[in-house]
Amino acid sequence: MRPTVHDIASRAGVSLATVDRVLNRRPGVSARTREKVDQAVHELGFVRDVAAANLAKGRTYPLTFIIPSNDNSFMRGLRVALDEARVRAGVERIAIRLVDVPAFDAAALAMALRAAAAAEPAGIAFVAVDAPEVAAAAAEIVAAGIPLVTLVSDLSGAERDHYAGIDNAAAGRTAASLLGRFSGGGKGKVAVLAGSMLVRDHRERCEAFAAVMAQDFARLSVLPVLEGRDDPAVVEQMVSGLFSGLEEIVALYSLGAGNRGLVKALERVPARLRPVVVAHELTETTRGALQAGLIDAVLNQDAGHEVRSAIRVLKAKADGLSVVAAQERIRIDIFLKDNLP
Amino acid sequence: MRPTVHDIASRAGVSLATVDRVLNRRPGVSARTREKVDQAVHELGFVRDVAAANLAKGRTYPLTFIIPSNDNSFMRGLRVALDEARVRAGVERIAIRLVDVPAFDAAALAMALRAAAAAEPAGIAFVAVDAPEVAAAAAEIVAAGIPLVTLVSDLSGAERDHYAGIDNAAAGRTAASLLGRFSGGGKGKVAVLAGSMLVRDHRERCEAFAAVMAQDFARLSVLPVLEGRDDPAVVEQMVSGLFSGLEEIVALYSLGAGNRGLVKALERVPARLRPVVVAHELTETTRGALQAGLIDAVLNQDAGHEVRSAIRVLKAKADGLSVVAAQERIRIDIFLKDNLP
DNA sequence: CTGTTAGCGCCTTCAA
DNA sequence: TTGAAGGCGCTAACAG
């Protein structure tokens, strides 16, 4: 049987209340008493029963998620995942508050972060824009002792407790290898399509992609990055432009969102000119394109996993507990037409 | 605030004990009373607090895992994952019992299943051998109301509550696509290396692989399957044999274990003759070979995820709760040298 | 600074 | 067939 507070109390020769005060680092205990209790905890290998504690406290964890009000499939998927988490909110003793911010707007995000922190939630998760003012706000929050997790896109520096998202450099490298090996042995141009170089995940994917292309596939030359702001209409125009030009584009890496526009444009490219395409995020659009042979591989991050992971981590941090690291690593799913779920 | 048993009791005009009896389907309640309580539960949308219930019951979930005593890296990894789960056993209120059975032995497995069930655990997870006597034992267990989950390899028919493992047909198809596309446009032979065609997961991978090769890559011809019994020494000899012959082998799919032998043999193949290789399971061996360029892609199933998933599902079933389906889907990880964790 | 006591939501004797 | 009372492990008033 696991030891309980009673065991600690009698072992240390104090009352339950005192044990509780020590366990929860509340003031009003003499150094000597504190020591006795700590000793007993240590000797007995006591681990407090979080479920019982929560029951006694009637505790719920108010969590705030700050998400860009970007209308693309991935962000919508993220919202769906949050809604699903809300369904289980009662059982998991969490209460999720969703805050929208304009996309790619560092100032707005910093403000939203401060506003969220003012409500003193048990934890905050946010999609980072990698800018100094955001980092400053994040640092304040961490300093205030509120658990803070970046979601999908990370923040440079260490001003957060955890990052719930994929390794974007690995994603970029993987995209490069797949594109390079899928595109046969010939020469040609490779187009790269991003949302915005202001977000760290896009920048990291892009840089890693370019590095591997240069190193392993020198026969392919990478064209300057196009920024489509994750907007389908913009993306469509850009891609159409690419294929009406004279350059021979043999491959295309779409590392951002807005793939609806990409697919529309690809559909109009004559079959014999169609490039090898790797895109990000499995949505209705990319799934269809994969099956139709317009896209060759999709790299995906599972928004549901990211949300659940962020929640687990925030709760654990709030309780001062450690997490199962392997469980919280967000994997890069690689989908071909053959392994669609 | 969520409704509690008190709310139900007063709403139904009965005592707490009666509510409890109804909630837990214990006898000794008149039909009319039962109905009143059910009604109140329904009207108030009552969901019982499992944590509080477990606290009151002092409940732990005794879970039995039946694992083949097969000495390959993957099974060792499975054991490690179980040990890690044991570390958190206290917090999660589980007690894991590990039972070994001879590998590929249906009779022994069926016996082990019955023995495990006799101890009346809260749930059983096992690596299935796909045979009628196993299915019979499984059916008995399910009929006895003990939650039952297959792990890694599934059982034909529906005699289990859940399968915690990957879609092996999808894995085979994916391997085929990767091999086909990585191997350029030329003709040639493709070797397939399995452990044993008697195991369902190997059979499924193999058949799906062959189907896609025939359909999408007719220029490549698949050689008869070699069965290496997951034994490194046997595998090494077979692969060496392959490459000392006159046939031009451009690709190789290793869908079983024993990759230590495969890699050893590959190291001796002259660089210009090296085939495109796809293997299963990320181990020290395959990781090294991936980095060295001897293996081009590794398909992996995460033993840790499988174990954690099996535990979550068994607990949920034991409590009569539903699971988050998407969370319990075991993914096929695809690793290139670029996205190694 | 420390201890007593009464719960949190649920389950389980023991009586009626 | 029903109910009252006590307790699971922990926390939080409220007294000393």
Side-chain angles (χ1 to χ4, degrees):
Chain A
M1 229 24 205
R2 284 167 59 189
T4 75
V5 278
H6 289 95
D7 302 322
I8 303 298
S10 65
R11 173 85 169 211
V14 298
S15 75
L16 286 181
T18 300
V19 171
D20 188 64
R21 282 190 267 264
V22 175
L23 288 179
N24 294 290
R25 308 178 189 303
R26 261 180 279 117
V29 185
S30 74
R32 242 185 61 63
T33 310
R34 179 177 303 274
E35 230 168 68
K36 280 193 299 187
V37 173
D38 280 336
Q39 170 107 1
V41 166
H42 192 77
E43 286 173 4
L44 268 45
F46 170 83
V47 184
R48 106 145 140 318
D49 184 331
V50 181
N54 284 341
L55 174 59
K57 282 195 282 214
R59 159 155 214 186
T60 61
Y61 301 75
L63 303 179
T64 302
F65 278 73
I66 305 177
I67 309 285
S69 50
N70 221 358
D71 187 40
N72 62 53
S73 296
F74 178 72
M75 286 303 166
R76 275 203 301 280
L78 205 59
R79 283 158 201 277
V80 170
L82 276 168
D83 282 339
E84 283 166 2
R86 273 188 168 139
V87 172
R88 292 164 294 123
V91 198
E92 306 205 349
R93 304 187 104 86
I94 56 177
I96 295 177
R97 194 163 81 88
L98 176 58
V99 173
D100 293 290
V101 290
F104 308 132
D105 184 336
L109 177 54
M111 196 173 298
L113 277 168
R114 292 205 173 85
E120 300 196 338
I124 300 175
F126 71 111
V127 179
V129 173
D130 196 17
E133 44 276 59
V134 176
E140 284 172 30
I141 292 172
V142 170
I146 299 177
L148 186 65
V149 166
T150 49
L151 197 64
V152 179
S153 190
D154 200 7
L155 196 58
S156 298
E159 297 90 342
R160 42 82 178 154
D161 292 296
H162 182 81
Y163 163 57
I166 61 169
D167 177 339
N168 286 294
R173 287 196 301 270
T174 305
S177 270
L178 288 174
L179 270 194
R181 302 207 58 169
F182 280 5
S183 64
K187 299 192 172 196
K189 309 279 187 193
V190 177
V192 178
L193 210 61
S196 160
M197 286 294 109
L198 292 178
V199 271
R200 185 163 163 196
D201 50 350
H202 288 198
R203 228 171 40 232
E204 284 180 343
R205 287 174 194 172
C206 191
E207 285 163 10
F209 176 83
V212 170
M213 289 306 290
Q215 165 123 21
D216 293 354
F217 303 99
R219 59 183 164 81
L220 300 173
S221 68
V222 178
L223 295 172
V225 182
L226 298 173
E227 296 184 51
R229 305 203 45 89
D230 290 356
D231 181 324
V234 178
V235 170
E236 182 175 358
Q237 207 163 18
M238 285 179 157
V239 177
S240 295
L242 279 174
F243 289 94
S244 61
L246 297 174
E247 307 203 90
E248 192 194 353
I249 297 185
V250 298
L252 188 154
Y253 176 33
S254 167
L255 58 82
N259 286 321
R260 230 161 42 240
L262 167 68
V263 171
K264 268 197 193 162
L266 285 174
E267 278 167 347
R268 291 196 303 266
V269 176
R272 57 181 185 83
L273 291 182
R274 269 188 202 144
V276 174
V277 177
V278 172
H280 272 263
E281 313 316 348
L282 189 66
T283 62
E284 279 314 303
T285 303
T286 54
R287 171 190 292 269
L290 212 43
Q291 283 165 332
L294 289 171
I295 291 181
D296 298 89
V298 168
L299 307 188
N300 182 66
Q301 52 188 321
D302 189 313
H305 274 210
E306 292 176 324
V307 166
R308 287 190 293 272
S309 175
I311 291 173
R312 270 197 303 271
V313 171
L314 287 176
K315 280 179 74 172
K317 298 282 177 193
D319 291 331
L321 296 175
S322 63
V323 296
V324 184
Q327 187 170 6
E328 309 309 344
R329 198 175 58 80
I330 305 296
R331 281 105 69 81
I332 301 169
D333 293 324
I334 303 177
F335 291 115
L336 310 180
K337 69 176 191 311
D338 310 286
N339 63 334
L340 284 170
Chain B
M1 230 24 204
R2 284 168 59 191
T4 75
V5 278
H6 288 95
D7 302 322
I8 304 296
S10 65
R11 173 87 169 207
V14 298
S15 75
L16 288 178
T18 299
V19 171
D20 188 67
R21 282 189 267 264
V22 175
L23 289 179
N24 294 290
R25 310 177 188 303
R26 262 179 281 118
V29 185
S30 74
R32 243 186 59 65
T33 309
R34 181 178 302 275
E35 230 167 67
K36 280 193 300 186
V37 173
D38 280 336
Q39 170 106 6
V41 166
H42 192 75
E43 288 173 2
L44 269 46
F46 171 83
V47 184
R48 103 145 142 317
D49 182 333
V50 180
N54 284 342
L55 173 59
K57 281 195 284 215
R59 162 156 212 186
T60 61
Y61 301 76
L63 303 179
T64 303
F65 277 73
I66 305 178
I67 308 286
S69 51
N70 221 358
D71 186 42
N72 61 52
S73 297
F74 179 72
M75 286 303 165
R76 276 202 301 279
L78 205 59
R79 284 160 201 277
V80 170
L82 275 169
D83 283 338
E84 282 166 3
R86 273 189 167 137
V87 174
R88 290 164 296 124
V91 196
E92 307 205 349
R93 304 188 103 87
I94 56 177
I96 295 177
R97 194 162 82 87
L98 176 57
V99 174
D100 292 289
V101 289
F104 310 136
D105 184 337
L109 178 54
M111 193 172 300
L113 277 168
R114 290 203 174 85
E120 300 196 336
I124 299 175
F126 71 111
V127 179
V129 174
D130 196 18
E133 49 264 69
V134 176
E140 284 173 30
I141 291 172
V142 171
I146 299 178
L148 186 65
V149 166
T150 49
L151 197 63
V152 179
S153 192
D154 201 8
L155 196 57
S156 298
E159 298 89 342
R160 41 78 176 159
D161 293 295
H162 181 81
Y163 163 57
I166 61 168
D167 178 340
N168 287 295
R173 287 196 301 271
T174 304
S177 270
L178 288 174
L179 272 193
R181 302 207 60 171
F182 279 6
S183 63
K187 297 191 169 197
K189 310 278 188 193
V190 177
V192 178
L193 210 62
S196 159
M197 282 298 104
L198 294 177
V199 209
R200 181 160 168 203
D201 47 353
H202 288 199
R203 227 170 42 232
E204 284 180 346
R205 289 173 193 173
C206 190
E207 284 162 10
F209 176 82
V212 169
M213 288 307 289
Q215 165 121 21
D216 293 354
F217 304 99
R219 59 185 163 80
L220 299 173
S221 68
V222 178
L223 296 171
V225 181
L226 298 174
E227 297 184 51
R229 307 181 58 76
D230 289 357
D231 180 325
V234 178
V235 170
E236 182 176 358
Q237 207 162 21
M238 285 180 156
V239 177
S240 295
L242 277 175
F243 288 93
S244 62
L246 296 173
E247 305 202 272
E248 193 195 352
I249 297 187
V250 298
L252 187 154
Y253 176 34
S254 167
L255 57 81
N259 286 322
R260 229 163 39 242
L262 167 67
V263 171
K264 268 196 193 162
L266 285 174
E267 280 168 345
R268 291 195 305 265
V269 176
R272 59 184 183 79
L273 292 181
R274 269 187 203 145
V276 175
V277 177
V278 172
H280 273 264
E281 314 314 348
L282 189 66
T283 61
E284 278 314 302
T285 303
T286 53
R287 171 191 290 270
L290 212 42
Q291 283 165 332
L294 289 171
I295 292 182
D296 299 89
V298 168
L299 306 188
N300 182 66
Q301 52 187 321
D302 188 314
H305 275 210
E306 290 176 323
V307 166
R308 286 191 294 270
S309 175
I311 291 173
R312 269 196 305 269
V313 171
L314 287 176
K315 281 180 75 172
K317 297 281 177 194
D319 291 330
L321 295 177
S322 62
V323 295
V324 184
Q327 187 172 9
E328 309 310 342
R329 199 175 58 79
I330 305 295
R331 282 102 72 81
I332 302 169
D333 292 322
I334 303 176
F335 292 114
L336 310 181
K337 69 175 193 311
D338 310 286
N339 63 334
L340 284 170

